[in-house]
Amino acid sequence: GAVVSQHPSWVICKSGTSVKIECRSLDFQATTMFWYRQFPKQSLMLMATSNEGSKATYEQGVEKDKFLINHASLTLSTLTVTSAHPEDSSFYICSARDPAAGAYEQYFGPGTRLTVT
Amino acid sequence: AQTVTQSQPEMSVQEAETVTLSCTYDTSESDYYLFWYKQPPSRQMILVIRQEAYKQQNATENRFSVNFQKAAKSFSLKISDSQLGDAAMYFCAYRAGTYKYIFGTGTRLKVLA
């Protein structure tokens, strides 16, 4: 089955620094990837939609200058949290759509836990 | 705007028994998909079952089945012969043409031995 990986799985950074999270589709080409944020004991909230070769589309209320998304290839999307603050600590999950697999198929990565100290 | 509502924050079931998790949604679209995802402590989202809105027949996957009531905009998940490994957070999700998922708030399922 289709596999999506995320790296790192867990990262701790100091307040004010930037951190990059990678999302890779390992065995398929993902024209579209999605980034979600999940606070403890809460649901997944869509942050942005990432399309290969074009600018990401951000959901209302998500700061595009703070959460930089780059989808430079058909297998890689990156989320950079700039000038991180403790309130950015959360679990970040990506998903990737495989257009060859059918209209509804999306595959989720294992998530990245970000802790900002 | 589309919304997904899960009114049961937590449910418990005895091992080997049956439990039903509720989900309602709101949409003006006619073509969409509904999903149930399981999120164990590892946080990996695992697809349990999916339903295409245009299909009248309820989807089934082994011990998991849904009761899809399109007119009522209801999409419940029934887990039969519950197992300890079924304990997890369960999220109901909706997806229409934009491919964006909208998730419910989740139901934590506890399975009692």
Side-chain angles (χ1 to χ4, degrees):
Chain A
V3 179
V4 175
S5 71
Q6 283 185 241
H7 178 80
S9 57
W10 195 355
V11 58
I12 301 174
C13 70
K14 292 187 176 180
S15 186
T17 63
S18 295
V19 61
K20 180 185 288 188
I21 301 170
E22 294 184 347
C23 176
R24 292 182 185 272
S25 56
L26 298 185
D27 50 3
F28 66 98
Q29 294 186 327
T31 53
T32 306
M33 291 183 173
F34 303 87
W35 287 96
Y36 296 85
R37 184 173 183 178
Q38 186 179 28
F39 288 108
K41 298 184 179 180
Q42 295 189 24
S43 187
L44 282 73
M45 298 300 295
L46 180 66
M47 299 174 65
T49 302
S50 168
N51 291 298
E52 188 267 338
S54 64
K55 290 184 178 181
T57 303
Y58 291 82
E59 295 300 300
Q60 191 172 10
V62 177
E63 299 176 62
K64 59 183 67 176
D65 294 331
K66 180 169 187 61
F67 299 99
L68 301 179
I69 292 172
N70 185 285
H71 194 156
S73 78
L74 286 172
T75 59
L76 174 64
S77 176
T78 60
L79 167 67
T80 301
V81 183
T82 62
S83 187
H85 291 283
E87 57 265 30
D88 298 323
S89 299
S90 187
F91 195 69
Y92 293 87
I93 302 175
C94 73
S95 72
R97 176 173 170 259
D98 180 1
Y104 43 68
E105 286 296 348
Q106 282 189 32
Y107 304 95
F108 285 84
T112 296
R113 183 182 302 279
L114 170 63
T115 300
V116 184
T117 61
Chain B
Q2 297 92 353
T3 58
V4 177
T5 302
Q6 292 179 250
S7 59
Q8 306 154 317
E10 189 171 294
M11 293 283 285
S12 296
V13 62
Q14 288 290 141
E15 198 175 2
E17 296 295 309
T18 296
V19 65
T20 299
L21 308 184
S22 301
C23 174
T24 58
Y25 61 95
D26 190 24
T27 184
S28 58
E29 303 283 343
S30 58
D31 187 19
Y32 52 88
Y33 300 89
L34 297 164
F35 306 83
W36 278 97
Y37 278 89
K38 172 184 179 181
Q39 189 180 46
S42 68
R43 308 290 287 273
Q44 172 74 59
M45 297 291 283
I46 300 168
L47 176 64
V48 174
I49 199 166
R50 60 173 166 255
Q51 174 82 42
E52 293 90 335
Y54 65 86
K55 289 187 177 179
Q56 293 185 339
Q57 187 173 7
N58 289 325
T60 62
E61 287 287 343
N62 301 312
R63 298 183 295 109
F64 300 88
S65 62
V66 299
N67 183 1
F68 174 48
Q69 301 290 326
K70 190 172 183 178
K73 295 180 181 175
S74 170
F75 183 62
S76 61
L77 173 69
K78 185 172 81 172
I79 306 174
S80 304
D81 186 26
S82 297
Q83 301 174 359
L84 294 176
D86 295 333
M89 280 292 289
Y90 286 81
F91 291 99
C92 177
Y94 163 98
R95 208 218 81 198
T98 60
Y99 303 108
K100 296 191 299 186
Y101 281 81
I102 299 171
F103 287 90
T105 50
T107 296
R108 179 169 301 280
L109 178 65
K110 294 184 176 180
V111 181
L112 309 174

